[in-house]
Amino acid sequence: MIETLDDLDVEGTTVGVRVDVNSPIDDDGTLADDARLRAHVDTLSELLERGGRVAVLAHQGRPGGDDFVSLESHANRLSTLLDQPVEYVDATFSSAARKTIRTLSNGDCVVLENTRFYSEEYMEFDPERAAQTHLVTGLESVLDAYVNDAFAASHRSQPSLVGLPTVLPGYAGRVMEAELDVLGSIEETPDPRVYVIGGAKVSDSIDVAWSVLEKGLADHVITAGVVGNVFLIADGVDLGDASSDFIYDQGYWDEIDRAADLLDAYGDRIALPRDVAVDRDGDRYELGVNALPPGDGESAMDIGDSTLEYYQRILADAETVILNGPAGVFEDDRFQKGTRRLYDTATDSSTSIVGGGDTASALRKLGVEGFSHVSTGGGAALRMLTAEPLPAVTALQNAPEQPAADD
Ligand SMILES: Nc1ncnc2c1ncn2[C@@H]1O[C@H](COP(=O)(O)OP(=O)(O)OP(=O)(O)O)[C@@H](O)[C@H]1O
Ligand SMILES: O=C(O)[C@H](O)COP(=O)(O)O
């Protein structure tokens, strides 16, 4: 059983709130898109209005990346969204951070520095070991409770996600609660159930396809995007050098064998593209798989019309559609059609669930609306859609209880 904010005695309590505000970053190192911050406003404003003292914990980017920046601009933006001052401290668990947390009054909020500035936070631990890291031992003494609202990071076993709820009473925030409500009951959604697997995270997507086919969760798996290209190659289609080089450069060449194994085992339930769109002389040009390989330097950038018709027929019979990853390079106007049409068709099903940060931003860009649920999570949603437990959610389930007020 996971406790929620309804179970937390908030007034005067110092709460560490883990959020996921991992966002696109501008060239000047500041926040470029506040969608993920906005998602957490309900949880944070509820805690503040109920008299909590809130210390916000979050990561941004990965070490070495251009988006691996401080959370100062996130804190500034949060202050506008919450319509109250939000302090920022350039420390996460040092004495400076602890001192700031100790001086919070009821209704005050501070954003601590990017948790991944500390190497332990970019490692995976079991919860007991995570509880002994510097971040957890540093913060444990100044926090009374822990709230996890970072559903999108819950597939990671990192200290701020699994260590803090091992030593502190743990609660799901409102985002986490909503995501678990919808994604935690995938098995109860109506049949037939179709998974649409696109985008560029080929290994994760093949894991999902294996799992949902093996467990009988998927009546059909529809493939698109880079994932669809890998399945086409696995099926013996010559996609040409440009698409093959791209797959090789992304480190997904070995996935072709896994895709072939999956086709051997469950080929009757896996739908492959029947045509692809390439860039020919600057225009979109569609080629049936029988007409492949494409010309020199041409790469499969989207699914074509005949694939769309085929996939739309499968979707027409689906009661539940679960989608992750765009069908093509949606960032380029010429290759948005597959994503727009496929996702638009899915909104006609009684239950349509979308996972993936890039997918959500593609849909915003393309103006496609009307899904039953758009998840804040990419990898986390994928894992949950296979009915697998998420380490940070398990840690919350096992968290100690909040001591009674007079203890
Ligand atoms: N045929 C293709 N060739 C090259 N890139 C493609 C193709 N189809 C889709 N993509 C790219 O895939 C990327 C998105 O894939 P990704 O798997 O990251 O999506 P996501 O699951 O929604 O994201 P996340 O898990 O990060 O939230 C886009 O940048 C898009 O351009
Ligand atoms: O953006 C995400 O999917 C989450 O914030 C997790 O980020 P990570 O993949 O860098 O751990």
Side-chain angles (χ1 to χ4, degrees), residues 226-249:
V226 183
V227 178
N229 291 351
V230 167
F231 273 91
L232 282 178
I233 296 174
D235 199 38
V237 173
D238 183 355
L239 269 187
D241 287 346
S243 289
S244 301
D245 290 351
F246 179 84
I247 289 163
Y248 186 82
D249 292 345

Side-chain angles (χ1 to χ4, degrees), residues 20 22 36 59 61-62 116 122 152-153 155-156 158 377-380:
D20 189 323
N22 189 25
R36 274 190 156 170
H59 74 276
R62 294 176 179 182
R116 288 190 183 169
Y122 198 52
H155 53 318
R156 308 287 178 218
Q158 292 161 349

Side-chain angles (χ1 to χ4, degrees), residues 36 198-202 204-205 224-227 229 243 246 299-303 324-331 339 343 355-360 376-379 382:
R36 274 190 156 170
K201 297 204 178 80
V202 178
D204 290 346
S205 299
V226 183
V227 178
N229 291 351
S243 289
F246 179 84
S299 171
M301 310 276 271
D302 195 8
I303 52 173
N324 180 265
V329 183
F330 70 89
E331 296 89 342
T339 306
Y343 275 74
D358 281 334
T359 309
T376 52
L382 273 179

Side-chain angles (χ1 to χ4, degrees), residues 194-196 219-224 228 231-232 235 263 266-276 286 288-289 303-318 321 337-338 341-342 345-346:
V194 175
Y195 282 71
V196 176
D219 294 282
H220 290 281
V221 168
I222 285 178
T223 64
F231 273 91
L232 282 178
D235 199 38
L263 286 172
Y266 301 107
D268 55 330
R269 286 194 274 151
I270 303 174
L272 307 189
R274 293 186 168 171
D275 58 353
V276 298
E286 297 188 4
V289 287
I303 52 173
D305 280 347
S306 107
T307 308
L308 271 169
E309 272 170 38
Y310 168 41
Y311 287 178
Q312 282 170 332
R313 279 202 304 279
I314 298 175
L315 292 177
D317 293 330
V321 187
K337 187 164 139 188
R341 295 249 180 107
L342 197 60
T345 305

Side-chain angles (χ1 to χ4, degrees), residues 117-137:
F117 280 7
Y118 303 92
S119 54
E120 285 178 320
E121 181 67 7
Y122 198 52
M123 296 166 71
E124 302 258 327
F125 298 98
D126 62 50
E128 287 67 34
R129 178 68 191 82
Q132 292 159 19
T133 56
H134 294 284
L135 181 140
V136 176
T137 54

